[in-house]
Amino acid sequence: MFIKPGNNIILGEGVRSQRLGLSQSYPPERLFKKFKRDLAGDYQPPAIQIDGINYNSVSISELFIQTIWTELKKQKIEPSHLIFTVPVGAFERYLDWFRDLGKKLNVPKVSIVDESTAAALGYAIKHPGKLILVVDFGGETLDLSLVKTVTNSDANNSLRAEVLAKSEAYIGGEDIDVWIVDDYLRSQNLTAEQVGKIGYQNLLEIAERLKIQLSKNQSVAESWFDDESFMSYELKINREKLEEILEYRQFLQQLRNTLDEVLASALRKGISKNDIEQVLLVGGSCLIPAVQQLIISYFGKAKVKLNKPFDAVSHGALAITQTLQNLL
């Protein structure tokens, strides 16, 4: 989210297309990222003052959703039911905030569902008694949850997912972008201060694009000329190098530890790794080959599913609209 002068709020792709935060005209101090993670974190970063107004993770998160809500109203869309999906690891931390926000938006009905439940049903798991591991790895968090599909006691015998074990880590794809840039700067004997805030944001944007391209290509590269400092940069990276960075930053070990933690918790309940029938990957960061390879090494290729990384949660949330009250 980017705040232009005059409290003009720009979201998502609008920030990218206008290259906001990447020039002196619209500096990075007005660009806000990772506020979803900050909202549920134990440590709250200090507020940032822009045009005389203080913004913290709570106010930024609220402004983000209110801006989307205002745009819906402009399009004559009047939702009667608002469904929020939240990471299972931080479910309790989000509950009160989302409920209060629903009241401020004056929505007739507000429901909150954990993303692991939504993902399991979004992958069209239709039978009760299924043991499913959901690996949700997006831009800001890594959430693992072992769920079992159970039948609701309603007239439709609908399904919901019961969480049996879970583990989380406050790490995501945006952290990987930072690691790629920092590794590049080290290789060039440069520091973040030398390239400047705007230059660093440009490099982060390039790193994100290259990371995405590595999902389909063995090696990628992109050049950029900074017309303010008259410096040229060329980032090159291949899958092997990315895996090296992930190992150096101990991310892959952290993923192993998180998987082991969930499996150990399941084993205490009499559930072995072999009992898990499917492993569902959710979130764009699950497209990273090294992440997929590690998870496949644990469970085997046949069990791991990655055909709905971006829409499984939203599809699942819609599928269980009638039974969300049982999950609160």
Side-chain angles (χ1 to χ4, degrees):
M1 185 174 82
F2 191 90
I3 302 178
K4 281 186 171 182
N7 200 34
N8 183 13
I9 309 301
I10 309 297
L11 305 181
E13 192 56 38
V15 176
R16 294 178 184 274
S17 62
Q18 298 179 46
R19 298 189 59 76
L20 300 177
L22 304 177
S23 69
Q24 293 290 352
S25 301
Y26 297 114
E29 289 80 4
R30 293 176 174 271
L31 178 65
F32 291 88
K33 303 169 71 175
K34 299 184 181 180
F35 47 87
K36 175 186 174 184
R37 178 162 69 185
D38 292 337
L39 184 64
D42 293 326
Y43 167 76
Q44 293 295 313
I48 297 175
Q49 188 175 90
I50 296 178
D51 300 332
I53 301 174
N54 288 325
Y55 295 95
N56 58 22
S57 59
V58 174
S59 60
I60 283 293
S61 300
E62 185 172 313
L63 185 58
F64 178 83
I65 294 180
Q66 285 181 333
T67 302
I68 295 175
W69 193 252
T70 300
E71 289 301 314
L72 291 175
K73 294 284 188 178
K74 289 180 181 178
Q75 298 178 40
K76 307 300 182 182
I77 298 173
E78 297 286 343
S80 59
H81 188 176
L82 184 58
I83 305 170
F84 292 115
T85 64
V86 301
V88 65
F91 190 77
E92 298 299 329
R93 301 186 187 188
Y94 283 112
L95 276 179
D96 291 339
W97 185 83
F98 275 121
R99 285 171 174 161
D100 291 343
L101 181 60
K103 292 177 182 177
K104 291 180 181 179
L105 296 176
N106 196 28
V107 186
K109 186 176 181 181
V110 176
S111 299
I112 304 168
V113 59
D114 71 83
E115 292 173 352
S116 298
T117 292
L121 301 183
Y123 264 95
I125 308 300
K126 298 180 179 180
H127 303 289
K130 296 290 185 181
L131 282 169
I132 310 294
L133 178 64
V134 178
V135 180
D136 187 350
F137 187 27
E140 299 184 12
T141 58
L142 169 66
D143 292 277
L144 276 68
S145 51
L146 179 65
V147 300
K148 182 178 181 180
T149 54
V150 297
T151 304
N152 278 307
S153 56
D154 57 21
N156 298 320
N157 289 323
S158 58
L159 285 183
R160 65 180 176 89
E162 175 186 344
V163 179
L164 303 177
K166 63 184 181 181
S167 184
E168 64 175 335
Y170 285 94
I171 192 168
E174 293 184 359
D175 297 289
I176 297 174
D177 301 338
V178 171
W179 299 341
I180 292 173
V181 172
D182 288 351
D183 180 82
Y184 168 74
L185 292 178
R186 272 198 308 272
S187 72
Q188 302 298 309
N189 293 317
L190 293 171
T191 65
E193 290 74 20
Q194 286 175 304
V195 300
K197 291 182 178 180
I198 293 174
Y200 193 81
Q201 286 296 324
N202 272 292
L203 291 173
L204 282 176
E205 189 174 271
I206 293 172
E208 182 185 18
R209 288 197 295 269
L210 295 181
K211 178 190 67 180
I212 293 171
Q213 292 169 23
L214 281 177
S215 299
K216 297 181 179 179
N217 302 285
Q218 288 292 331
S219 62
V220 290
E222 184 172 334
S223 299
W224 167 59
F225 180 75
D226 187 344
D227 54 11
E228 293 179 353
S229 66
F230 301 104
M231 291 286 292
S232 61
Y233 303 89
E234 184 179 23
L235 273 71
K236 296 180 180 180
I237 190 169
N238 55 32
R239 290 185 180 183
E240 183 179 354
K241 179 60 178 179
L242 178 58
E243 185 170 350
E244 178 185 312
I245 292 172
L246 296 179
E247 286 285 14
Y248 173 76
R249 293 288 183 163
Q250 299 185 331
F251 166 73
L252 293 179
Q253 184 58 49
Q254 189 170 4
L255 177 55
R256 294 183 193 102
N257 293 341
T258 309
L259 285 165
D260 291 341
E261 183 179 335
V262 167
L263 293 175
S265 179
L267 191 58
R268 289 193 291 270
K269 297 181 179 181
I271 301 169
S272 71
K273 183 169 71 172
N274 291 335
D275 293 329
I276 298 173
E277 298 173 69
Q278 289 192 45
V279 181
L280 309 180
L281 304 190
V282 179
S285 297
C286 280
L287 295 172
I288 297 173
V291 172
Q292 295 179 42
Q293 291 164 9
L294 194 155
I295 295 172
I296 289 172
S297 73
Y298 266 68
F299 302 98
K301 190 173 183 179
K303 288 186 178 181
V304 179
K305 309 296 180 185
L306 184 62
N307 58 303
K308 300 183 71 175
F310 299 111
D311 52 15
V313 172
S314 58
H315 288 177
L318 292 173
I320 54 177
T321 299
Q322 301 303 316
T323 59
L324 286 176
Q325 64 270 20
N326 297 319
L327 304 172
L328 300 178

